Amino acid sequence: MTQPDPSQPRAAVIGIGFIGHAHIEALRRLNVPIAGVLGHEEGYTRREAAKLGLRPYLSLDELLVDPEVTVVHQCGPNDVHAGQNLRALAAGKHVFSEKPLGVSVEECERQLLAARQAGRRAAVNFTYRGYAAVQTLREIVRGGELGDVTYLRGHYLQDWLLYATDFNWRVGAPARETRAVSDIGSHLSDLARFVTGREPERVFARFTTLHPERRRPVGEVQTFAQGGGQTEPFTVTTEDQASLLVEYAGGVHANFELAQVAPGHKNDLELEVQGTRGAAVWRQERPEEIEIGTRENVRTVRLKDPGSAFTHYPGGHPEGYPDAITNVIRTFYTGLGGAGSDRIATFEDGLAAARFVEAAFQSHTEGRWVDTRQEVAR
Amino acid sequence: MTQPDPSQPRAAVIGIGFIGHAHIEALRRLNVPIAGVLGHEEGYTRREAAKLGLRPYLSLDELLVDPEVTVVHQCGPNDVHAGQNLRALAAGKHVFSEKPLGVSVEECERQLLAARQAGRRAAVNFTYRGYAAVQTLREIVRGGELGDVTYLRGHYLQDWLLYATDFNWRVGAPARETRAVSDIGSHLSDLARFVTGREPERVFARFTTLHPERRRPVGEVQTFAQGGGQTEPFTVTTEDQASLLVEYAGGVHANFELAQVAPGHKNDLELEVQGTRGAAVWRQERPEEIEIGTRENVRTVRLKDPGSAFTHYPGGHPEGYPDAITNVIRTFYTGLGGAGSDRIATFEDGLAAARFVEAAFQSHTEGRWVDTRQEVAR
Amino acid sequence: MTQPDPSQPRAAVIGIGFIGHAHIEALRRLNVPIAGVLGHEEGYTRREAAKLGLRPYLSLDELLVDPEVTVVHQCGPNDVHAGQNLRALAAGKHVFSEKPLGVSVEECERQLLAARQAGRRAAVNFTYRGYAAVQTLREIVRGGELGDVTYLRGHYLQDWLLYATDFNWRVGAPARETRAVSDIGSHLSDLARFVTGREPERVFARFTTLHPERRRPVGEVQTFAQGGGQTEPFTVTTEDQASLLVEYAGGVHANFELAQVAPGHKNDLELEVQGTRGAAVWRQERPEEIEIGTRENVRTVRLKDPGSAFTHYPGGHPEGYPDAITNVIRTFYTGLGGAGSDRIATFEDGLAAARFVEAAFQSHTEGRWVDTRQEVAR
Amino acid sequence: MTQPDPSQPRAAVIGIGFIGHAHIEALRRLNVPIAGVLGHEEGYTRREAAKLGLRPYLSLDELLVDPEVTVVHQCGPNDVHAGQNLRALAAGKHVFSEKPLGVSVEECERQLLAARQAGRRAAVNFTYRGYAAVQTLREIVRGGELGDVTYLRGHYLQDWLLYATDFNWRVGAPARETRAVSDIGSHLSDLARFVTGREPERVFARFTTLHPERRRPVGEVQTFAQGGGQTEPFTVTTEDQASLLVEYAGGVHANFELAQVAPGHKNDLELEVQGTRGAAVWRQERPEEIEIGTRENVRTVRLKDPGSAFTHYPGGHPEGYPDAITNVIRTFYTGLGGAGSDRIATFEDGLAAARFVEAAFQSHTEGRWVDTRQEVAR
C-alpha cells in the first residue's frame, strides 16, 4: 500500500462537474497541489483535465496507485460515493467526500467503520459549515446567549426544478433515496445538529411531488446546466417538496420545509434557533449576517467579524459561497497532520444525515412519526 | 322590536379593551356616530365612557333597547361573543364581531343561522383583510399571475407570552378552545382562504407548550398590558406553539407555524403563495409590499397602489394597522345599505375558522390527519 | 373680539385638498369637534362640506366671526398662509398652520411677532416630528448615545414630478420661493434641527431643473391628483432637484439631497446622524425603525416602543403617516390649555425653515456659501 | 531586454500586504503561475515568501531581470507606484497596478505615455468593476433602460479611521495627494465613469477633517491591521470626509459623499444612476443585486445572472469581493494575448482618477468649482 506523506498533502479529485470545479478552485486558492482528476468517462476526463492543466486519471485504479495522492476528493454522483470512498480508504488515502456520504444508512455505516479502521481522516462536505457566520451562530447558541434552545425553524428552497421540463440525474433517484430531502434537507439537518449540538429523535414527514412526470432530455444532463433538443417523458418517484416536523433531544421541536420547485427561491437556506431568551436567524443568501431578536424592542444584526478564523477579508468586503467551501477544505487540510477539527463534518455526520433521510422517507410512506435514533459505535 | 334606520347607522361598542378602543377610533375617523359603550363592569364602563366622551351602557339590555343603535361591535372576551351576538341579532341589530366568532363550531353555526334568519349584516373582524396589499395579493393570485397555486407557506409568530411570568386571560382558555391556534392561527387560516379562495380539507397538527406552568397575577389582566405585584402559579393547558400541515382543495399543500413565545417576533404574520409560475409573499410588519419571485433572475416588489379602494394616502406615506381596521369597518358600513362586499369576513368565514381550529385540536390530540370539511348550508 | 374657550377647543379647517382631509381625519380620531371648513371657492366648499358632513364657511370673515371656532387649521395654498394666519390671530384664534409658514422670511417674521402679541398657540405642521421614532432619534442624539454629533446625511426624494407632463400649482411658484427646497427640503431641514438641536449657519446650494418647460393642464390642478385632457406649455423657474452642503453650529457638516424627479423614490425622506461613537438613521418609508451602527461588528435596529407617548398600538402593529399627523395635532391640542410642548414645530421653527430656504436660493443664485443666521428675538 | 512569452504569463507581485495577498489568491484560483514576490524589506520578504511557498525577490532589479516574469502586479504603497511601474514597463513587463496609478496627474501621464510606447498591457485595479452586477448596471444604463441619464447619487463610507487612535500610513499622505478622495473617492469616480461612459467636467468639493491630530504608533503600521503599544501625536493634513458636487458631460449632475470616519459603515460603496425613465442602484455590501425604481408602483431587483461572464456559481450562491478581484485579474490575463477588454480599468482610467482627485483638492482649497478636463491624447 502506498504511504502518502501526510505532511505534504496532494489531492486528487473524482468528478469534474460543478462541485468538482469548486473543489479544484478552492485547492488552488489554498496552494494544495492537485495530482490529477478523474471524470466519469475517459474522453471527458482528458478534455477537462487539459482545460484545467491537470493530469487525467483514466481509472480509479490509476488514481489510487499514484503515491503522490494523499487525499481523495469525492465529487462524483451520489451512487458511486460509497464504493469509491471505501476503495480509497483501503488504498490508504484520506477522503474528503461530497454529501451524501452514501445513499443509505448501511452505506454510511460501512464507510464510517472503514475510515476508523484505516485511521484516515474522513470528512463530508457540508459546505454551509464553512461560513464564518454559521460558526458564530454555533458559538452564540452553545454559549447560552439565547437561553435554552426551544425551537428550530428552517427551510431550504430552490426553484431550479420548477418546470416539468427541468431535468437532472438527481430527479431519477429511487424514491427511497429521496431527492429534496437528501440533496438539500441533509444540509439543513446537518446545520441544525451542528449549531445546536442536538440529535433528532423523531420525525414526521410529508412529501409532495409537483411533477409526477417530467420531460427528460435524450442524452445526458449536468447539474445546473441547461438542456435543449429532444426530450422524452420520465416518471418521477422522488419528492419535489417536503415538510418535516422534528423532535430533538431535550424537547426541542423543529419545523423544516424543503423544495426544489419554489419560484424565486434560488438557494434559500435559512435556520432560526429560538431559545428562552432570544432567537437568532442565519440566511445563506445574506451569509455574513446573523439577526438576533429578543423581547426588547431591539433587533441586532451581527456582522462579519474580520478576526474570525473563517473570515479573510475586512468588514464590508463580502465573502460568499466559494469562500465557505474554501474554509471547509482549509480546515480539513489543517487537521490532516493532527487532531482534526470539530468545525467540519465527519463520516459520523454523514451517517447522521443518512439516518435522518431514511426516517423521513419511512415517515412519509407510513404516515406516522418515526424514530431516527439507532445505535452506532462512536 | 326597534327598527334602526340602516341609512343612518349608529354604533355601540361592547368591550372597551385594546381592540374596543381601536374600533372606536376607526368609527370616529369614518364619522360613524357612536351611541355608547358597554364594558365588563359598571364602574369600568362609567370611567372609560367618560374618558371617551361617550354614553355608558350599564347592561346589554340597556344597549339593545336603545333604538339609536343600529350596529353592535362585539369586542368582548371570546367566551361572551356567541351569547351576546345572538341577543343582538334577536334585537334586530347588525353585528360586527371580533374574532373568534365563537369558541366552538357549534357556537358559530348557531350565530350564522341566526344572522340569516334575522336578515342582518353579520361580519367578523379578520383585520388583516383590511390591508390594501392583502386585497392586491388576492387579485394577483386569483388573476392567475402566479399560475396554478401549488403550495402555501405561512407563519404568525409573536413573543408577548415568552416568559413564564407573562399572563393574560387568553392563557386560561380550555385546551380544546386552543390559544395560539384560535388567537392567531385563525388569522393566518382566514388569510389563506381569502387570498386563494380554497378551503382546507385536512390538517395535521403538533402543539407544544413551552410553559406548562405560568405565574398568574392575583387580580385581573388586560391584553398587551403589563402587570406587576403579586402572582400565583397557574397550570396552562393551551398551546404556546403549533405547527400545522394542511391540505387544501385541489391538491394545494401548506405548512403553517404559530407561536406566542417566539423571541423578537412581535406581530410577524406572513403568507407566501407559490404557484406554477411564481410566488408572492406578504408580510404584515411591512404591510404595503408584496414580493414576487419567479424563475427569472428578477424579484419584483409591488408597492402601494394609491388608486386602490383600500389606500387613502399617496405612495411612500405608510398606512398601517389602524388604517387596515378602518378599511374593514368602512367596508362593513358601506355594505350596510345593500349588496355587501366579499372583501371582508362574514359569519361564514367565522365558522370556517372555528372548523379549522377544532380539526387542528383533534389532530394534535389524536396524532393523525383530520378532515376539516363538514356540511353547512350556504 | 370673540373669546373661544380654550378648554373646549373647536377646529375650523381652511383648505380642503389632500392635507386638509388629513387634518379632518386626525381631528375626528382625536374627538376634537370641527366647526366647519372653508375651501378656495364657494361651490367647492359647499360640495366638500356636504360630503364631510360639516358646515361650509363661505368666507374667511364668516369663519373668523364664529365664536365656536377656537383653532384655525391652515391647509390652503402656500401664498395665502401669511395673510390668513395673521387675520386668524387678530381674531383671537389659535393657529395650526401647514408648512411653509410663509413664502418669505419677512412673512414668517410678521406672523411670529403677531402670534406673540396675540398670546395664542401658533404651530407649524412639520408632520415628520409626529413619528414616534423621530422623537426617539432625538432622545438618542441628545442623550449622547452617538457621542458628539459630527455629520448629517439626508435626502428627501420623490418622483411625482418626474415627467414633463406632470404639473401642480407648486411648479408655478416664483423662483425665489423655490420648490423642492421649500416643499420637501424644509421638512428635512426641520428634522435635522429638531433631532440635533443645532442651527444651520452656512449653506452652499446647487439647484437643477430637469424640465425647464412642462405641460400645464388647461384648468386647475390638485396636489397628487392626475390630470388628463388638454395641456399647454409652461415655463418652469423653480428647481426639480437640489444639493445642499450645510454647516451647523459647532462644526457639524451636512450633505442634503432633494428631488421631485427621482424615479422610484415615492416619499423617500431619510436622515442619518453621525457622531464620534455611532450613527443612527431614520427612514420615513420604514418609519418605526432606527438603525444604529458603530465600529463594532453589530448593527442594531431600534423598533417601536409601545410605551412611548407617540405610539398607540402594540409592537409589530405598524403605525404610519396618518398616525404621525395625528400625533402632531394631538400634541398641539394637549398643549392648548397650558405649557405647550417642544415636540412639535412652532412659528419659530417655521421662520427658521424660511431662512434656510432663502439662504439656499441665494447661494444657488450667487454660487457661493451663504450665511443663514440672522438675529430674531426669541 | 527579456522577452517574456505572452502566451505563458507568469506573475510577480510587488507588495505583500492585504491587497498583495488578495492578488496572490486570485492568481492561484486562476492557475496563473507566480514567479515570486517582493516586499518592502528583505527580512519581511523572506518570511512572507516562505509562508506563501513563493520565491522572494530581494530587489526590484532582481525581479525585473527574471525572464520568467511577464506581468508585474503593483501592490506597494501609493508613492512607489509610478517609479516602479515605469521601470517594469521599461523592462518589457506588462503592468497590473493597484490604484491610485500615481499620486499626481503628472505621474499618471508619464506612465500612460510609457505604456503606450512600450506596447504593453497596462491596467489599474479598480476592483469594483469586477462585480458581475456592476457590469450589468453598465449594460442597463448604456442600453437606455433608464432613459437619458440625469443624475448620480453615490457614497463610499467606511469607519476604520473613526477614532483618533486609528492610524495607517495613508493618514500621513500630503494634503494635496488627499486621502478619502484618493483612497475611496477614486473608486466611486471610476465606477460612475465606467457605468455611464461620461466624463466629469466640474467639481465642487468640501473636505473636513474630524481628527486634525491622531495618535501614531511608534513603529510601522499595516492597512486594516490593529496596533497596540506606544503612540505619539501626529498632525493630520488629509481629509477624513468629503462632499463632492460634480457635473458630467451632457448636463448630468452628481452628489458624492466620502468618509473614513462614518460609524457602522464598513465598506459602504453605493451608486445610484437616475434617468428620465428609471433609476438603478448598486450597493457593494449586497453586491449581487441591482434595484430598479420607476414611477410605477413596482420596484424590481435584478439578481445574479448565472450566465454572465463575471459569475461562476449558480443563483443564490453568493459571490463576493474575492470573486470580484479574481474577475478583474482574469479579464486582464484573458486580454494579454490580444485585443484587451473595455471592462477593466486601464492607465487612461488611472489618469482620469488622478485628474478628478486633483480638481477636488483644488476646489476645496479655493472654495470654488474647478474644471476637471484637461487634454490628453487617447
Side-chain angles (χ1 to χ4, degrees):
Chain A
M1 194 167 73
T2 58
Q3 286 298 348
D5 176 359
S7 72
Q8 293 252 337
R10 191 169 287 258
V13 178
I14 300 176
I16 333 178
F18 159 70
I19 199 67
H21 280 95
H23 282 236
I24 289 166
E25 187 180 45
L27 288 164
R28 285 180 161 161
R29 287 173 83 166
L30 295 166
N31 207 25
V32 174
I34 304 174
V37 293
L38 169 63
H40 65 291
E41 186 265 326
E42 280 198 19
Y44 181 78
T45 302
R46 285 188 203 277
R47 284 192 307 276
E48 288 298 307
K51 277 192 250 167
L52 289 160
L54 292 171
R55 169 182 168 184
Y57 293 111
L58 300 184
S59 71
L60 183 58
D61 284 333
E62 186 184 331
L63 185 157
L64 294 178
V65 299
D66 182 350
E68 291 279 291
V69 175
T70 322
V71 177
V72 169
H73 285 249
Q74 174 56 260
C75 301
N78 298 349
D79 55 1
V80 308
H81 289 187
Q84 295 186 342
N85 290 349
L86 287 166
R87 290 193 54 203
L89 289 165
K93 312 300 189 192
H94 302 289
V95 174
F96 184 82
S97 179
E98 266 305 314
K99 42 74 50 183
L101 181 56
V103 297
S104 67
V105 168
E106 187 274 336
E107 278 194 1
C108 295
E109 285 175 338
R110 280 168 52 211
Q111 291 181 77
L112 174 56
L113 194 64
R116 285 179 181 165
Q117 288 172 340
R120 291 296 173 235
R121 288 275 289 171
V124 179
N125 183 34
F126 282 115
T127 316
Y128 300 109
R129 294 193 184 198
Y131 279 112
V134 167
Q135 300 284 331
T136 302
L137 178 59
R138 181 179 187 249
E139 286 156 20
I140 288 170
V141 170
R142 300 201 175 187
E145 185 176 331
L146 308 177
D148 296 329
V149 173
T150 56
Y151 193 71
L152 308 178
R153 303 175 61 220
H155 62 249
Y156 197 156
L157 307 175
Q158 301 179 324
D159 70 358
W160 66 294
L161 293 174
L162 176 60
Y163 300 131
T165 47
D166 296 319
F167 196 81
N168 175 273
W169 59 263
R170 295 168 189 275
V171 169
R176 71 167 299 113
E177 291 183 12
T178 78
R179 175 164 36 95
V181 176
S182 64
D183 282 357
I184 55 180
S186 59
H187 277 296
L188 180 53
S189 168
D190 182 71
L191 203 58
R193 290 176 62 248
F194 177 64
V195 165
T196 66
R198 285 169 195 267
E199 297 295 329
E201 298 190 341
R202 299 205 311 148
V203 64
F204 182 92
R206 176 190 57 188
F207 295 1
T208 58
T209 302
L210 184 62
H211 298 300
E213 183 176 298
R214 287 179 179 264
R215 301 298 303 179
R216 173 196 168 86
V218 179
E220 234 179 294
V221 203
Q222 291 248 331
T223 302
F224 294 121
Q226 292 191 313
Q230 267 197 302
T231 63
E232 59 195 7
F234 183 90
T235 300
V236 178
T237 61
T238 47
E239 78 287 0
D240 290 321
Q241 292 175 315
S243 279
L244 304 174
L245 307 184
V246 192
E247 292 180 19
Y248 284 82
V252 173
H253 292 259
N255 187 339
F256 295 151
E257 282 182 282
L258 312 169
Q260 295 173 318
V261 292
H265 297 268
K266 300 310 174 195
N267 197 41
D268 181 7
L269 167 61
E270 180 172 324
L271 178 67
E272 176 173 353
V273 180
Q274 298 185 352
T276 49
R277 281 208 298 273
V281 61
W282 176 75
R283 301 177 178 96
Q284 193 273 151
E285 295 190 356
R286 299 192 61 176
E288 294 186 314
E289 300 183 1
I290 297 170
E291 193 176 302
I292 299 178
T294 68
R295 243 285 268 281
E296 305 309 304
N297 305 312
V298 172
R299 185 166 61 224
T300 60
V301 180
R302 209 70 62 91
L303 305 174
K304 174 159 79 171
D305 171 9
S308 144
F310 277 47
T311 57
H312 303 279
Y313 286 82
H317 295 70
E319 296 175 69
Y321 182 89
D323 305 285
I325 193 168
T326 303
N327 281 330
V328 172
I329 294 178
R330 176 187 292 109
T331 306
F332 179 79
Y333 280 88
T334 304
L336 270 192
S341 164
D342 65 341
R343 295 297 171 125
I344 63 171
T346 61
F347 276 20
E348 279 86 352
D349 299 306
L351 172 57
R355 282 189 177 142
F356 185 77
V357 169
E358 283 203 359
F361 176 74
Q362 195 181 342
S363 170
H364 166 69
T365 307
E366 304 179 7
R368 62 172 184 86
W369 286 92
V370 168
D371 200 304
T372 58
R373 288 164 296 181
Q374 300 172 39
E375 286 307 305
V376 62
R378 301 238 162 180
Chain B
M1 194 167 72
T2 59
Q3 285 298 348
D5 177 358
S7 72
Q8 294 252 339
R10 190 169 288 259
V13 178
I14 301 176
I16 332 178
F18 159 70
I19 198 68
H21 280 95
H23 283 234
I24 290 165
E25 186 180 45
L27 289 164
R28 285 181 161 160
R29 287 172 83 166
L30 295 166
N31 207 26
V32 174
I34 304 174
V37 293
L38 168 63
H40 66 291
E41 186 265 324
E42 280 199 19
Y44 182 78
T45 303
R46 285 188 203 276
R47 284 193 304 278
E48 288 297 307
K51 276 192 251 166
L52 289 161
L54 292 171
R55 168 180 171 186
Y57 293 110
L58 301 184
S59 71
L60 183 57
D61 284 334
E62 187 183 332
L63 185 157
L64 293 178
V65 299
D66 183 350
E68 291 280 292
V69 175
T70 321
V71 177
V72 170
H73 286 248
Q74 173 56 260
C75 301
N78 298 350
D79 55 2
V80 309
H81 289 187
Q84 295 185 343
N85 290 349
L86 287 166
R87 290 193 55 203
L89 289 165
K93 313 298 190 191
H94 302 289
V95 175
F96 184 82
S97 179
E98 266 305 314
K99 42 72 52 182
L101 181 54
V103 298
S104 66
V105 168
E106 186 274 336
E107 278 194 1
C108 294
E109 285 175 339
R110 280 169 50 213
Q111 292 179 76
L112 175 56
L113 194 63
R116 285 178 182 166
Q117 289 172 340
R120 290 296 171 234
R121 289 276 290 171
V124 180
N125 182 33
F126 282 115
T127 315
Y128 300 109
R129 295 193 184 198
Y131 280 112
V134 167
Q135 300 285 332
T136 302
L137 178 60
R138 182 180 187 249
E139 287 157 20
I140 288 170
V141 169
R142 300 201 175 188
E145 185 176 331
L146 309 177
D148 296 330
V149 173
T150 57
Y151 194 71
L152 308 178
R153 303 175 60 220
H155 61 250
Y156 197 156
L157 307 174
Q158 301 180 324
D159 69 359
W160 67 293
L161 293 174
L162 176 61
Y163 301 131
T165 47
D166 297 318
F167 196 81
N168 176 273
W169 59 263
R170 296 169 188 275
V171 168
R176 70 168 300 114
E177 290 182 12
T178 78
R179 175 166 34 96
V181 176
S182 65
D183 282 357
I184 54 180
S186 59
H187 276 296
L188 181 53
S189 168
D190 182 71
L191 203 58
R193 289 176 62 249
F194 177 65
V195 165
T196 66
R198 286 169 193 267
E199 296 297 328
E201 298 190 341
R202 299 204 310 148
V203 64
F204 181 92
R206 176 189 59 188
F207 293 1
T208 58
T209 302
L210 184 62
H211 299 298
E213 184 175 295
R214 288 179 179 264
R215 302 297 305 179
R216 174 196 167 85
V218 179
E220 236 180 292
V221 203
Q222 291 247 329
T223 301
F224 294 121
Q226 292 191 315
Q230 267 197 300
T231 63
E232 60 195 6
F234 184 89
T235 300
V236 178
T237 60
T238 46
E239 77 287 358
D240 290 321
Q241 292 174 315
S243 279
L244 305 174
L245 307 183
V246 192
E247 291 180 20
Y248 284 81
V252 173
H253 293 258
N255 187 340
F256 294 152
E257 283 182 281
L258 311 169
Q260 295 173 319
V261 292
H265 298 267
K266 301 310 173 194
N267 197 41
D268 181 7
L269 167 61
E270 180 173 324
L271 179 67
E272 176 174 353
V273 180
Q274 298 185 352
T276 49
R277 281 208 299 273
V281 61
W282 176 75
R283 302 177 176 96
Q284 193 273 149
E285 295 190 356
R286 300 192 62 176
E288 295 186 314
E289 299 183 4
I290 297 170
E291 194 175 301
I292 299 177
T294 67
R295 245 282 270 281
E296 305 308 305
N297 304 312
V298 171
R299 184 166 61 223
T300 60
V301 181
R302 210 70 61 91
L303 306 174
K304 174 159 78 171
D305 171 9
S308 144
F310 277 47
T311 57
H312 303 280
Y313 286 81
H317 295 71
E319 296 174 70
Y321 183 89
D323 305 285
I325 194 168
T326 304
N327 281 330
V328 172
I329 294 178
R330 177 188 290 110
T331 306
F332 179 80
Y333 281 88
T334 304
L336 271 191
S341 165
D342 64 342
R343 295 297 172 127
I344 64 170
T346 62
F347 276 20
E348 279 87 351
D349 299 306
L351 171 57
R355 282 188 177 144
F356 185 77
V357 169
E358 284 203 0
F361 176 75
Q362 195 181 344
S363 169
H364 166 70
T365 307
E366 303 179 9
R368 63 170 182 85
W369 287 91
V370 167
D371 199 305
T372 58
R373 288 163 297 181
Q374 301 171 40
E375 288 305 307
V376 63
R378 301 238 162 183
Chain C
M1 194 167 72
T2 59
Q3 285 297 350
D5 177 358
S7 72
Q8 293 252 339
R10 192 169 287 259
V13 178
I14 300 177
I16 333 177
F18 159 71
I19 199 67
H21 280 94
H23 282 236
I24 289 165
E25 186 180 46
L27 289 164
R28 284 180 162 162
R29 288 173 82 166
L30 295 166
N31 207 25
V32 174
I34 304 175
V37 294
L38 168 63
H40 66 291
E41 186 266 327
E42 280 199 19
Y44 182 79
T45 301
R46 286 189 203 276
R47 283 192 305 277
E48 288 298 307
K51 279 192 250 167
L52 289 161
L54 292 171
R55 168 182 170 185
Y57 292 112
L58 300 185
S59 70
L60 183 58
D61 284 333
E62 187 184 331
L63 186 156
L64 292 178
V65 299
D66 182 351
E68 291 279 290
V69 175
T70 321
V71 177
V72 170
H73 285 249
Q74 174 56 259
C75 301
N78 298 350
D79 56 0
V80 308
H81 289 186
Q84 295 185 342
N85 290 350
L86 286 167
R87 290 193 53 203
L89 289 165
K93 313 299 188 190
H94 303 288
V95 175
F96 184 82
S97 178
E98 267 304 315
K99 40 74 51 182
L101 181 56
V103 297
S104 66
V105 168
E106 187 274 336
E107 278 193 1
C108 295
E109 283 174 340
R110 279 169 50 211
Q111 292 180 76
L112 174 56
L113 194 63
R116 286 179 181 164
Q117 288 172 343
R120 291 296 171 233
R121 289 275 289 171
V124 179
N125 184 33
F126 282 114
T127 316
Y128 299 110
R129 294 192 183 200
Y131 279 111
V134 167
Q135 300 285 331
T136 302
L137 178 60
R138 181 178 186 251
E139 287 157 20
I140 287 171
V141 170
R142 299 202 176 185
E145 185 177 331
L146 309 178
D148 296 329
V149 173
T150 56
Y151 194 70
L152 309 177
R153 302 175 60 218
H155 62 250
Y156 197 156
L157 306 175
Q158 301 180 324
D159 70 359
W160 66 294
L161 293 174
L162 176 60
Y163 301 131
T165 47
D166 297 319
F167 195 81
N168 176 275
W169 58 262
R170 296 168 189 276
V171 168
R176 71 168 298 114
E177 290 182 13
T178 78
R179 176 165 35 94
V181 175
S182 65
D183 282 358
I184 55 180
S186 60
H187 276 297
L188 180 54
S189 168
D190 182 71
L191 203 59
R193 289 177 61 249
F194 178 63
V195 164
T196 66
R198 285 170 194 267
E199 297 296 330
E201 298 190 342
R202 299 204 310 149
V203 64
F204 182 92
R206 176 190 58 189
F207 294 1
T208 59
T209 303
L210 184 61
H211 299 299
E213 184 175 297
R214 288 180 179 263
R215 302 297 304 178
R216 174 196 167 85
V218 178
E220 235 180 291
V221 204
Q222 291 248 328
T223 301
F224 294 122
Q226 292 190 313
Q230 266 196 303
T231 62
E232 60 194 7
F234 184 89
T235 299
V236 178
T237 60
T238 47
E239 77 288 358
D240 290 320
Q241 294 174 314
S243 280
L244 304 174
L245 307 183
V246 193
E247 291 180 19
Y248 285 82
V252 172
H253 293 259
N255 186 340
F256 294 151
E257 282 182 282
L258 312 169
Q260 295 174 318
V261 291
H265 298 267
K266 301 308 175 195
N267 197 40
D268 181 7
L269 168 60
E270 180 173 324
L271 179 67
E272 176 173 354
V273 181
Q274 299 186 352
T276 49
R277 281 208 299 275
V281 61
W282 177 75
R283 301 178 178 95
Q284 193 273 151
E285 295 190 357
R286 299 192 64 174
E288 295 186 314
E289 300 183 2
I290 297 170
E291 193 176 303
I292 299 178
T294 67
R295 244 285 268 281
E296 304 309 303
N297 304 312
V298 172
R299 185 166 61 224
T300 60
V301 180
R302 210 70 61 91
L303 305 173
K304 174 160 77 171
D305 171 9
S308 144
F310 277 46
T311 57
H312 303 279
Y313 286 82
H317 295 71
E319 296 175 69
Y321 182 89
D323 305 285
I325 192 168
T326 303
N327 281 330
V328 172
I329 294 178
R330 177 188 290 108
T331 306
F332 179 79
Y333 280 88
T334 305
L336 271 191
S341 165
D342 65 341
R343 295 297 171 127
I344 64 171
T346 61
F347 277 20
E348 279 86 351
D349 299 306
L351 171 58
R355 281 187 179 143
F356 185 76
V357 169
E358 284 203 359
F361 175 74
Q362 194 181 344
S363 170
H364 166 69
T365 308
E366 303 179 8
R368 62 171 183 86
W369 287 92
V370 167
D371 200 304
T372 58
R373 287 165 296 181
Q374 301 171 39
E375 285 309 304
V376 63
R378 299 235 165 186
Chain D
M1 193 166 74
T2 58
Q3 284 299 348
D5 176 0
S7 72
Q8 293 251 340
R10 191 169 286 260
V13 179
I14 300 176
I16 334 179
F18 159 70
I19 198 67
H21 280 95
H23 282 234
I24 289 166
E25 187 179 45
L27 289 165
R28 284 179 162 161
R29 287 173 84 166
L30 295 166
N31 207 25
V32 174
I34 304 175
V37 292
L38 168 64
H40 65 291
E41 185 266 325
E42 280 199 20
Y44 182 78
T45 302
R46 286 188 203 276
R47 284 192 306 278
E48 289 297 307
K51 278 192 249 166
L52 290 161
L54 292 171
R55 168 180 169 185
Y57 293 111
L58 300 186
S59 71
L60 182 58
D61 284 334
E62 187 185 330
L63 185 156
L64 293 178
V65 298
D66 183 350
E68 291 280 289
V69 175
T70 322
V71 177
V72 170
H73 285 249
Q74 174 57 259
C75 301
N78 298 350
D79 55 1
V80 309
H81 289 187
Q84 295 185 342
N85 290 350
L86 287 166
R87 290 192 54 203
L89 289 166
K93 313 298 188 190
H94 302 289
V95 174
F96 183 82
S97 178
E98 267 305 315
K99 42 73 50 182
L101 180 56
V103 297
S104 66
V105 168
E106 186 274 336
E107 278 193 1
C108 295
E109 285 175 337
R110 278 168 51 212
Q111 292 180 77
L112 175 56
L113 193 63
R116 285 178 182 166
Q117 288 172 340
R120 291 294 171 238
R121 288 275 288 171
V124 179
N125 183 33
F126 282 115
T127 315
Y128 300 109
R129 295 193 184 198
Y131 279 111
V134 167
Q135 300 284 331
T136 303
L137 178 59
R138 180 179 187 250
E139 287 157 21
I140 288 170
V141 170
R142 299 201 175 186
E145 186 176 331
L146 309 178
D148 295 329
V149 173
T150 56
Y151 194 70
L152 309 178
R153 302 176 60 218
H155 62 250
Y156 197 156
L157 307 175
Q158 302 180 324
D159 69 359
W160 67 294
L161 293 173
L162 176 60
Y163 301 131
T165 47
D166 297 319
F167 196 81
N168 176 275
W169 58 262
R170 295 168 190 275
V171 168
R176 70 169 298 114
E177 290 183 13
T178 79
R179 175 165 37 94
V181 176
S182 65
D183 281 358
I184 54 181
S186 60
H187 276 297
L188 180 53
S189 168
D190 182 71
L191 204 57
R193 290 177 61 248
F194 178 63
V195 165
T196 65
R198 286 171 194 267
E199 297 296 330
E201 298 190 340
R202 299 205 309 149
V203 63
F204 182 92
R206 176 189 58 190
F207 294 1
T208 59
T209 302
L210 185 61
H211 299 298
E213 183 175 297
R214 289 179 177 263
R215 302 297 304 178
R216 174 197 168 86
V218 178
E220 233 179 294
V221 203
Q222 291 248 328
T223 302
F224 293 121
Q226 292 190 313
Q230 268 197 300
T231 62
E232 60 194 7
F234 183 89
T235 300
V236 178
T237 60
T238 48
E239 79 287 0
D240 290 321
Q241 293 174 314
S243 280
L244 305 174
L245 308 183
V246 192
E247 291 180 19
Y248 285 81
V252 173
H253 293 258
N255 187 340
F256 294 151
E257 282 181 282
L258 311 169
Q260 295 174 318
V261 292
H265 298 266
K266 302 308 175 193
N267 197 42
D268 181 7
L269 167 61
E270 180 173 324
L271 179 66
E272 177 174 353
V273 180
Q274 299 185 351
T276 48
R277 280 208 299 274
V281 61
W282 177 76
R283 302 177 177 96
Q284 193 273 150
E285 295 190 357
R286 298 192 65 175
E288 295 186 313
E289 299 183 3
I290 297 169
E291 195 175 301
I292 299 178
T294 67
R295 244 282 269 283
E296 305 307 305
N297 304 313
V298 171
R299 185 165 59 223
T300 60
V301 181
R302 210 70 62 90
L303 306 173
K304 174 159 79 171
D305 172 9
S308 143
F310 276 47
T311 57
H312 303 279
Y313 286 81
H317 295 70
E319 297 176 68
Y321 182 88
D323 305 286
I325 193 169
T326 303
N327 281 330
V328 173
I329 294 179
R330 178 188 290 108
T331 306
F332 179 78
Y333 280 88
T334 305
L336 270 191
S341 164
D342 65 341
R343 295 297 172 126
I344 64 170
T346 61
F347 277 20
E348 278 87 350
D349 299 306
L351 171 57
R355 283 188 177 143
F356 185 76
V357 169
E358 284 203 359
F361 175 74
Q362 195 181 343
S363 169
H364 166 69
T365 307
E366 303 179 9
R368 62 171 183 86
W369 287 92
V370 168
D371 200 305
T372 58
R373 287 164 298 180
Q374 301 170 38
E375 285 308 304
V376 62
R378 300 241 161 180

